[in-house]
Amino acid sequence: MTSPYSSSANSSQPWDAFDTGWYLDHNYRTLRDDDQVIIDRIGDHFAATCGRFLRGIDVGTGANLYPALAMLPYCDEITLWDRASSNVDWLRHEVMGYSRLWDKFWGELAGKARYRPVRDPRLELALVATVRQGDIFRLPTARWDIGTMFFVAESLSGERAEFELAMAKFVGCLVPGAPFAAAFMAHSQGYVVGERAFPAVPIVADDVARTLEAIAHNVDIHKIDTETPLRQGYDGMILALGHAGRR
Ligand SMILES: C[S@@+](CC[C@H](N)C(=O)[O-])C[C@H]1O[C@@H](n2cnc3c(N)ncnc32)[C@H](O)[C@@H]1O
């Protein structure tokens, strides 16, 4: 399906018509092997940073709660920041008592030492999460202590400059030294959500590494492949784990 929108810029896309239910069903109804690997690595990355960070943010949350769950033991507040009104409406309801499908995602974290003290993740998320309708390009700087951004920077536009700016805005909203995890679709040709097509920038792991070079440190980039792709038109996932700012 091709996009009816003449520009592939972020501001030209029909974000408020993002079909949250369709996206949730297609992407997260079951726990995929690639998400399982990602969850395991984020859990270990955050655990290795050893602190209690207080303020967390997930940028472009959409219909995905597992990045926020990965920050749960560390945060007194977690901001879920997304531009689409459809996602924001769904999130405001969902975080109040998330549905059972997220139990298997939490199950991947629950066995790790840093996650074991969280007795009731459903209640904890309801207590700490705040949903904000906001634009990644208008994030304040140096405001959060830990952050995640999943399938957003490369999937919000067809313009490479916007991918790079989104990366800078995400890392820049974190205080220097803050741990982060960011995931990307590799070589994405764009994607369909229900009746709508959205553009993407066809990045590879080197693009992520190069973009983070000047704005982050201790960065590890992982390529994650699967034999059962989510859809056609991409080439696996990329996970970047690191810390904000120059060392
Ligand atoms: C491909 S979805 C990824 C959703 C989710 N993070 C996940 O892991 O599946 C891209 C998300 O980016 C959000 N988005 C697009 N443009 C944005 C912007 N300018 N500011 C904040 N969020 C934006 C969309 O609303 C959507 O939720």
Side-chain angles (χ1 to χ4, degrees):
M1 189 184 294
T2 53
S3 170
Y5 296 85
S6 53
S7 163
S8 65
N10 180 255
S11 59
S12 302
Q13 307 311 313
W15 295 112
D16 288 342
F18 193 96
D19 188 336
T20 317
W22 189 98
Y23 186 87
L24 176 71
D25 211 45
H26 186 253
N27 291 276
Y28 300 114
R29 187 60 56 193
T30 58
L31 172 59
R32 300 172 48 76
D33 57 355
D34 39 18
D35 282 324
Q36 221 167 357
V37 173
I38 290 175
I39 292 169
D40 184 52
R41 293 198 174 155
I42 315 175
D44 290 347
H45 172 58
F46 287 160
T49 57
C50 287
R52 182 163 171 83
F53 301 106
L54 305 179
R55 303 166 301 176
I57 184 167
D58 179 54
V59 177
T61 306
N64 184 4
L65 288 191
Y66 83 66
L69 292 176
M71 292 188 280
L72 205 49
Y74 305 102
C75 297
D76 288 347
E77 53 172 74
I78 299 178
T79 301
L80 307 179
W81 185 283
D82 198 288
R83 176 175 174 153
S85 57
S86 52
N87 290 338
V88 165
D89 290 346
W90 178 84
L91 281 166
R92 288 201 167 121
H93 182 263
E94 186 71 2
V95 296
M96 295 311 289
Y98 62 71
S99 65
R100 291 187 57 191
L101 80 86
W102 299 108
D103 291 345
K104 51 189 176 293
F105 292 82
W106 176 258
E108 296 296 308
L109 295 163
K112 295 183 186 287
R114 290 303 298 267
Y115 293 82
R116 252 179 253 136
V118 181
R119 300 245 176 250
D120 187 346
R122 190 171 270 103
L123 176 62
E124 293 255 338
L125 189 70
L127 292 174
V128 301
T130 303
V131 179
R132 287 278 306 273
Q133 184 167 17
D135 190 335
I136 189 170
F137 300 116
R138 292 171 180 268
L139 279 167
T141 54
R143 161 78 176 75
W144 287 276
D145 309 301
I146 183 171
T148 50
M149 175 177 70
F150 274 57
F151 313 116
V152 177
E154 83 296 1
S155 296
L156 54 62
S157 162
E159 318 271 321
R160 193 162 283 266
E162 287 194 314
F163 159 70
E164 288 173 9
L165 185 59
M167 293 290 281
K169 291 289 180 183
F170 166 61
V171 176
C173 85
L174 304 174
V175 299
F180 68 79
F184 311 85
M185 302 303 265
H187 229 276
S188 176
Q189 305 299 311
Y191 59 104
V192 171
V193 180
E195 300 290 306
R196 308 278 181 169
F198 291 90
V201 180
I203 57 153
V204 295
D206 277 354
D207 295 313
V208 176
R210 189 182 35 77
T211 313
L212 289 172
E213 217 167 57
I215 56 176
H217 63 278
N218 285 359
V219 175
D220 282 327
I221 311 267
H222 306 265
K223 180 75 193 336
I224 293 154
D225 293 309
T226 178
E227 289 186 358
T228 54
L230 191 55
R231 57 175 170 80
Q232 292 188 324
Y234 78 107
D235 178 25
M237 295 176 181
I238 301 163
L239 176 66
L241 304 171
H243 296 260
R246 308 288 295 261
R247 197 202 300 266

